Amino acid sequence: MTITIINDCRDANAAGRQVTRTAALFGQLGPTAGGTVNFIGVRNSLEAGGNLIDTIDALGDMPGVILLNVAPRNGHARKWGNGTPFGYFRYKEILVVISIDGYSLSLVKRFKLTDVVKLMDTKSAVEHMVASG
């Protein structure tokens, strides 16, 4: 399986940490779950949106995961109580996990790749996991 990270934390150290963590996470899911982990560094959410469409196109009908995290970290970001929320959707055999802010989803909407993006409530999920042990 191909896993692609699209992120605005793009210096070599940040990219290396993200690729290593992703490879370790997916490698723990079973011997066939691992695969190629690619990193695409971007400057902003519009650039991320274009790379998202390119990556979806490159995967075609193959299964894959795209992890896109480009979010404001000051000023505008303060509108969210717990930071920019994450959501996800599926397109064909591709799972896309994405930060919900800026223009990252603009081309997904324009090309009508999904009707629904499911929002994750990370804070409540973590609280539930901690309470459940």
Side-chain angles (χ1 to χ4, degrees):
M1 175 179 9
T2 299
I3 303 161
T4 302
I5 301 165
I6 302 172
N7 200 295
D8 60 344
C9 295
R10 63 188 194 278
D11 65 73
N13 290 334
R17 286 190 304 273
Q18 291 175 65
V19 168
T20 300
R21 287 180 180 134
T22 302
L25 172 66
F26 281 88
Q28 291 174 359
L29 298 178
T32 60
T36 305
V37 179
N38 303 302
F39 183 87
I40 301 171
V42 296
R43 291 179 300 246
N44 55 54
S45 65
L46 186 58
E47 189 177 337
N51 278 282
L52 174 59
I53 295 300
D54 275 349
T55 304
I56 290 171
D57 182 57
L59 285 168
D61 292 327
M62 300 299 295
V65 176
I66 302 170
L67 307 170
L68 190 155
N69 184 11
V70 176
R73 289 169 179 80
N74 51 38
H76 173 72
R78 298 192 194 281
K79 75 178 183 178
W80 306 106
N82 191 35
T84 302
F86 284 88
Y88 66 96
F89 67 92
R90 289 191 177 271
Y91 178 75
K92 296 184 179 180
E93 295 294 317
I94 304 165
L95 170 64
V96 179
V97 180
I98 187 167
S99 51
I100 309 293
D101 206 341
Y103 297 104
S104 296
L105 285 166
S106 60
L107 294 174
V108 168
K109 181 179 179 180
R110 181 178 185 97
F111 294 128
K112 300 177 182 171
L113 300 186
T114 188
D115 292 331
V116 176
V117 175
K118 296 180 181 180
L119 190 63
M120 292 186 273
D121 183 354
T122 310
K123 183 175 187 274
S124 296
V126 169
E127 289 171 355
H128 175 74
M129 288 187 294
V130 168
S132 299

